Amino acid sequence: MSDIVIGTGAEAVIYRTSWLGRKAVKKHRLEKGYRHKELDQRLRAYRTKKEVNLISAARNAGICTPLVYDVDLQEGTITMQFVDGTMLKDLLRTEPMEKKEELVRKMAQAIASMHRADLVHGDLTTSNMILKGTGIWFIDFSLGNGSEEVEDKGVDLHLLKEVWQSSHAEILPLFDLFLETYKAHYDDGVQVVERIAEIEARGRYT
Amino acid sequence: MLCLGIEGTAHTFGVGICDDDQILANVMDMYRPEEGGIHPREASNHHAAIAADMLVKALDKAGASMSDLDVVAFSQGPGLGPCLRTAATAARTISLSQNIPLVGVNHCIAHLEIGRLTTQAEDPIMLYVSGGNTQVIAYTMGRYRIFGETLDIGIGNMLDKFGRESGLPFPAGPVIEKMAVKSNRLLDLPYSVKGMDVSFSGILTAALQQVKEQPMEDLCNTLQETCFAMLVEVSERAMAHADKSELVLGGGVARNKRLQEMCGIMAEERGGASYMPPPDLCVDNGAMIAYTGLIMNKAGISIPVEDSAVNQRFRTDQVEVTWR
């Protein structure tokens, strides 16, 4: 079966593929011709390994993440479970208000668990959150990090807020529900939420 | 329309004259310290001493006289305070004595605009790499936005510091480039890209720690390969995000052939292209100030002398780009 490209970024290409009969996704961090061969190898291997470790750590913290089927550090590829569901980006536009509220609560609980485990996703957009069954699955940890810092967790939420303001402006009030639920599920959440305002104030664009 | 531009953000004092998009003169003189780096007061003393001669030289080259000028522009920032003020004073004097409009130009934007003028790039992102500045800039929504920048020091500054601490002559950049060519080894130095930003203080410290243990050629090669790769990575991300396929280099460090090569490879792999202005328009120069001042003035921009204070921390995105 030949792999089909389903996404391209500056750093990697994503393919739909299959793994021992299961629907899968293959992420390939591309070789870059401008880099010294050794540097290229080193960077791709390091980032691949880091991403896989983050996915595992998130899973251990109770977050739904794709199962990692195979890793090739030499090639810079990760083969993982294809998450067959619907992006929150779409559901937050189409579903009735009650359902949206439920989704927001679940999102907040999951992110609270992540931060409680000192994991930062790094790219909390609603395109990276998929509803599969009754759970919200998180994908694309390529910008993630392990961190205890309130600052890093604040930046994580700040990005989500910006996504909310630009893509889900009609349900802006639900962001307050998100914050309340987040704080209820994470003791240090209050500090993180306070930090968001400070991060916002640093913005340079008028 | 004839515009005279004065550049004086750091060690270079430059005067350029342009007539619409024709550069008629571009003269410059660099302050060279006996040892160590740029002392702002010494540099500004140097600028003050040569300013009048530079102006005369530029006018001669352009075959013009002071009274022929329609507009005068100056580098308003970012840069070293004393140096900026010297250039500004000269420009204000001309504005008042000739009764012509004064335009304050952002130095980084001038690099970008001269890149657009002198290369085939139409809507490029710019990788601006000099001693004092390291920014990736793209034009979106009416402003030149900084997509990524250095979190600590400029790459040119890092290379010069490395050179100074390890006994290489100043400026160290070209020396490092020559030594790097002799090696193909990659030592283990830290690679530091944080989101869309870069930082150089870590790799500088790590490189200096190895000066006694490793051959200088290998250190130089590793420094270049690592730091340039960081810059090209951020540039590539900016191109992907802003959906642009052209890259223009600017600033003194853009004269490095390996950096040019890497930008070219990256751009071509994306189906685009990388460009570079002629070398004497890559370094700090007056012509870019003159040209940018002119296009700004044609869009209706000028500042009264009372509002022409320099700004050492002039941000690229503070300017409303009304001329595009």
Side-chain angles (χ1 to χ4, degrees):
Chain A
M1 177 210 161
S2 57
D3 301 339
I4 316 162
V5 175
I6 55 170
T8 337
E11 195 169 359
V13 181
I14 320 281
Y15 301 89
R16 266 286 275 117
T17 181
S18 88
W19 182 259
L20 300 176
R22 300 180 182 123
K23 288 186 191 168
V25 152
K26 187 176 186 176
K27 175 171 178 172
H28 177 210
R29 276 185 166 78
L30 303 164
E31 295 89 342
K32 294 290 177 184
Y34 66 84
R35 285 185 201 141
H36 187 288
K37 285 272 165 294
E38 274 180 53
L39 180 64
D40 191 58
Q41 219 26 51
R42 197 198 299 164
L43 274 175
R44 285 165 47 240
Y46 172 80
R47 289 172 180 181
T48 301
K49 197 197 285 192
K50 184 175 179 184
E51 183 172 358
V52 166
N53 284 336
L54 275 166
I55 294 171
S56 296
R59 184 164 264 273
N60 285 340
I63 315 298
C64 300
T65 64
L67 275 170
V68 175
Y69 296 144
D70 191 28
V71 184
D72 187 333
L73 292 180
Q74 193 96 342
E75 288 293 307
T77 61
I78 306 171
T79 306
M80 54 193 148
Q81 179 184 15
F82 173 70
V83 181
D84 213 341
T86 321
M87 277 197 267
L88 248 58
K89 181 175 188 179
D90 301 324
L91 294 171
L92 287 175
R93 283 191 187 142
T94 55
E95 292 295 294
M97 188 49 88
E98 269 168 27
K99 180 74 176 175
K100 284 183 196 172
E101 284 174 9
E102 193 195 318
L103 289 170
V104 169
R105 275 195 211 97
K106 283 192 170 165
M107 191 202 294
Q109 278 180 33
I111 296 172
S113 300
M114 229 190 271
H115 286 183
R116 203 185 318 120
D118 291 333
L119 293 170
V120 162
H121 181 277
D123 197 14
L124 286 174
T125 72
T126 48
S127 314
N128 285 337
M129 302 175 203
I130 298 174
L131 182 73
K132 179 173 143 77
T134 55
I136 297 183
W137 294 58
F138 287 76
I139 61 168
D140 196 0
F141 284 79
S142 55
L143 294 171
N145 225 351
S147 173
E148 302 167 352
E149 303 297 318
V150 169
E151 174 72 17
D152 295 334
K153 295 169 188 174
V155 170
D156 222 16
L157 294 189
H158 171 64
L159 179 68
L160 179 61
K161 184 172 183 182
E162 293 202 306
V163 168
W164 214 293
Q165 285 168 334
S166 57
S167 305
H168 304 288
E170 358 50 86
I171 50 160
L172 213 44
L174 286 188
F175 191 70
D176 292 326
L177 173 63
F178 171 87
L179 292 176
E180 291 312 310
T181 315
Y182 172 83
K183 283 190 282 189
H185 285 84
Y186 176 35
D187 288 340
D188 294 344
V190 177
Q191 291 172 54
V192 177
V193 172
E194 276 168 17
R195 187 60 72 95
I196 300 174
E198 202 184 308
I199 294 167
E200 268 176 340
R202 297 181 204 148
R204 286 190 287 266
Y205 305 136
T206 49
Chain B
M1 274 179 73
L2 213 61
C3 179
L4 182 144
I6 305 178
E7 154 65 33
T9 56
H11 50 28
T12 301
F13 186 86
V15 180
I17 298 178
C18 72
D19 183 5
D20 293 325
D21 54 6
Q22 296 297 311
I23 296 171
L24 303 179
N26 189 26
V27 302
M28 62 187 85
D29 192 280
M30 233 175 73
Y31 163 67
R32 282 184 201 279
E34 294 267 334
E35 51 165 11
I38 310 170
H39 190 299
R41 185 196 60 222
E42 298 301 319
S44 71
N45 284 345
H46 162 268
H47 297 347
I50 58 154
D53 287 340
M54 288 281 119
L55 287 164
V56 169
K57 210 169 155 188
L59 287 166
D60 272 347
K61 262 233 159 94
S65 68
M66 204 64 96
S67 53
D68 294 326
L69 301 175
D70 299 302
V71 188
V72 61
F74 68 105
S75 53
Q76 197 171 13
L80 304 170
C83 303
L84 288 171
R85 281 190 282 274
T86 311
T89 306
R92 289 174 199 135
T93 312
I94 297 173
S95 169
L96 290 170
S97 65
Q98 302 302 315
N99 196 24
I100 52 175
L102 178 68
V103 182
V105 174
N106 178 291
H107 177 88
C108 312
I109 292 182
H111 274 289
L112 199 152
E113 290 296 357
I114 206 73
R116 283 178 63 220
L117 174 71
T118 57
T119 69
Q120 292 157 343
E122 285 168 17
D123 186 22
I125 67 138
M126 181 168 91
L127 174 58
Y128 172 36
V129 278
S130 69
N133 297 292
T134 296
Q135 297 179 3
V136 174
I137 302 166
Y139 176 71
T140 64
M141 298 186 304
R143 286 184 191 231
Y144 285 118
R145 311 273 174 184
I146 302 171
F147 269 67
E149 59 184 328
T150 175
L151 294 171
D152 41 45
I153 53 180
I155 179 159
N157 191 358
M158 186 278 290
L159 294 170
D160 286 339
K161 277 186 157 83
F162 174 75
R164 192 190 323 150
E165 300 295 320
S166 54
L168 301 177
F170 175 87
V175 178
I176 292 172
E177 181 172 6
K178 283 204 183 81
M179 303 208 79
V181 172
K182 299 181 187 164
S183 160
N184 201 22
R185 263 183 89 200
L186 190 82
L187 303 171
D188 193 8
L189 292 181
Y191 181 97
S192 181
V193 170
K194 295 171 186 162
M196 287 290 281
D197 294 321
V198 293
S199 90
F200 295 115
S201 44
I203 191 170
L204 171 62
T205 310
L208 286 174
Q209 281 168 351
Q210 298 195 38
V211 164
K212 296 218 171 81
E213 287 133 33
Q214 301 287 356
M216 189 50 87
E217 293 89 353
D218 293 345
L219 276 171
C220 290
N221 190 49
T222 307
L223 267 176
Q224 286 199 168
E225 290 301 314
T226 312
C227 295
F228 293 168
M230 285 159 53
L231 294 169
V232 175
E233 171 164 21
V234 174
S235 302
E236 175 159 30
R237 292 214 202 135
M239 285 168 78
H241 189 94
D243 198 21
K244 305 215 196 267
S245 59
E246 297 160 317
L247 181 144
V248 136
L249 278 162
V253 182
R255 292 172 73 164
N256 185 299
K257 297 244 164 5
R258 176 59 182 146
L259 178 60
Q260 292 167 23
E261 182 187 40
M262 287 166 80
C263 288
I265 296 171
M266 180 275 282
E268 277 154 34
E269 273 180 12
R270 302 188 55 80
S274 165
Y275 302 93
M276 204 187 102
D280 58 346
L281 295 175
C282 253
V283 293
D284 291 346
N285 66 89
M288 70 184 187
I289 304 294
Y291 172 68
T292 309
L294 188 56
I295 59 178
M296 287 172 72
N297 185 250
K298 282 182 176 172
I301 301 171
S302 75
I303 45 174
V305 166
E306 315 85 75
D307 294 340
S308 66
V310 300
N311 183 356
Q312 290 185 89
R313 293 176 208 275
F314 197 173
R315 296 288 295 172
T316 312
D317 51 41
Q318 274 176 251
V319 181
E320 264 192 72
V321 181
T322 51
W323 60 91
R324 274 185 75 159

